Amino acid sequence: MVSPAGFAAQVAEVAAKNSIRVVRSMSVSAPDGAAHMIVALDNDAVATTTELIVGLAPRLMILEPHDPEGFQAHVVSDHWLRVVYLTPAALDAAIADAEAPLDDETSGERDEATTAKLRFIAEAVAAEIPLSDHGGATELARRFRERVERELPADGARILESNRYVVWEHAADILATLKDRHGGALHTDAATYAAEIFAAEGPFAGKVTRPVLRDVAYRHMKRLDPTCTTKASIESIVLELAGLIDARR
């Protein structure tokens, strides 16, 4: 079975073969009014991507980092399309949540006050999660549900039952926020993390090459936050770690 990382590489390869520029980014916010679609990471995922590229003739594809449940791609042509690639298990969970029976009196319509409450709660959930093994969209959806029920004890359950898909919308937003914020923390707090790695992984004897340091830093930070740590996000830590090693010689 191909992993999300393997599928992401295949999607990038398809785009490149069709002369589409591929850019990788920690997180991207689709503009208001952008279209969205979900693609299962199965045997047809690459073929579906090829059909999208042929049909839309995009100028650019932006790939976000993958996690165990999938990844997101943004196909930019005259219009903007956000494509959410999900593993079959994650997709089944999303579909089951979205297709659960709804209360006839609350058929999914959300007024402005409810929308504002849910947005505020999603922002609160994101704000309280530190750099950690916080999981992907499924775990964040669970946290969001629990926070809604806790913050809105009178009508939280009713809101969730009548707005099933909104849970996954906010889970995706929370994940994007965490990737952006935690990726930034890896840069701004690089000296602190480099010192932790030096203490935990050292001593570093002899000549240590930059690729070796990058691998050590990546493995260490991946254990701390497997979802938000990427090779690109640890470059500042690698530089700080190299400086520490040189200073101790």
Side-chain angles (χ1 to χ4, degrees):
M1 177 179 174
V2 182
S3 67
F7 272 114
Q10 291 180 25
V11 167
E13 183 179 357
V14 168
K17 284 182 178 179
N18 285 272
S19 301
I20 308 301
R21 184 185 176 198
V22 179
V23 174
R24 298 182 184 276
S25 176
M26 287 295 296
S27 63
V28 181
S29 296
D32 291 341
H36 302 259
M37 70 176 294
I38 297 175
V39 175
L41 290 178
D42 56 22
N43 293 334
D44 296 325
V46 175
T48 300
T49 301
T50 302
E51 292 177 7
L52 283 174
I53 289 175
V54 171
L56 296 176
R59 301 182 296 273
L60 176 69
M61 175 176 282
I62 307 172
L63 288 179
E64 295 190 42
H66 61 84
D67 61 35
E69 294 167 346
F71 60 95
Q72 296 187 64
H74 299 262
V75 181
V76 184
S77 58
D78 292 336
H79 303 283
W80 188 296
L81 174 65
R82 174 189 175 204
V83 186
V84 180
Y85 291 90
L86 291 176
T87 63
L91 180 57
D92 286 345
I95 291 174
D97 214 359
E99 292 184 346
L102 302 179
D103 188 327
D104 291 338
E105 296 181 359
T106 55
S107 59
E109 298 179 358
R110 283 174 278 158
D111 58 25
E112 292 183 5
T114 299
T115 299
K117 288 178 183 177
L118 296 177
R119 185 183 303 115
F120 177 82
I121 290 173
E123 291 171 354
V125 170
E128 71 183 12
I129 298 176
L131 199 72
S132 60
D133 187 1
H134 48 71
T138 298
E139 172 61 19
L140 296 174
R142 183 190 65 78
R143 293 190 187 213
F144 176 73
R145 289 190 194 95
E146 291 179 351
R147 186 65 175 259
V148 170
E149 292 173 351
R150 186 168 70 249
E151 296 285 337
L152 305 172
D155 56 2
R158 177 190 60 78
I159 290 173
L160 293 177
E161 286 298 318
S162 62
N163 298 279
R164 290 292 183 132
Y165 190 70
V166 78
V167 174
W168 293 93
E169 288 179 341
H170 283 296
D173 289 341
I174 293 168
L175 182 58
T177 298
L178 293 179
K179 287 182 177 180
D180 184 58
R181 194 176 78 235
H182 292 172
L186 293 178
H187 174 72
T188 57
D189 298 333
T192 299
Y193 292 121
E196 290 179 3
I197 294 169
F198 187 88
E201 307 288 345
F204 295 90
K207 181 177 177 59
V208 186
T209 64
R210 191 61 57 83
V212 170
L213 289 182
R214 186 174 292 112
D215 182 63
V216 169
Y218 181 73
R219 284 189 287 106
H220 184 93
M221 298 310 299
K222 199 73 173 175
R223 289 195 296 270
L224 179 60
D225 192 332
T227 302
C228 295
T229 297
T230 65
K231 292 289 180 67
S233 68
I234 62 165
E235 282 303 307
S236 295
I237 298 175
V238 174
L239 291 174
E240 293 286 348
L241 183 57
L244 276 177
I245 293 172
D246 291 340
R248 300 296 176 92
R249 285 175 177 165

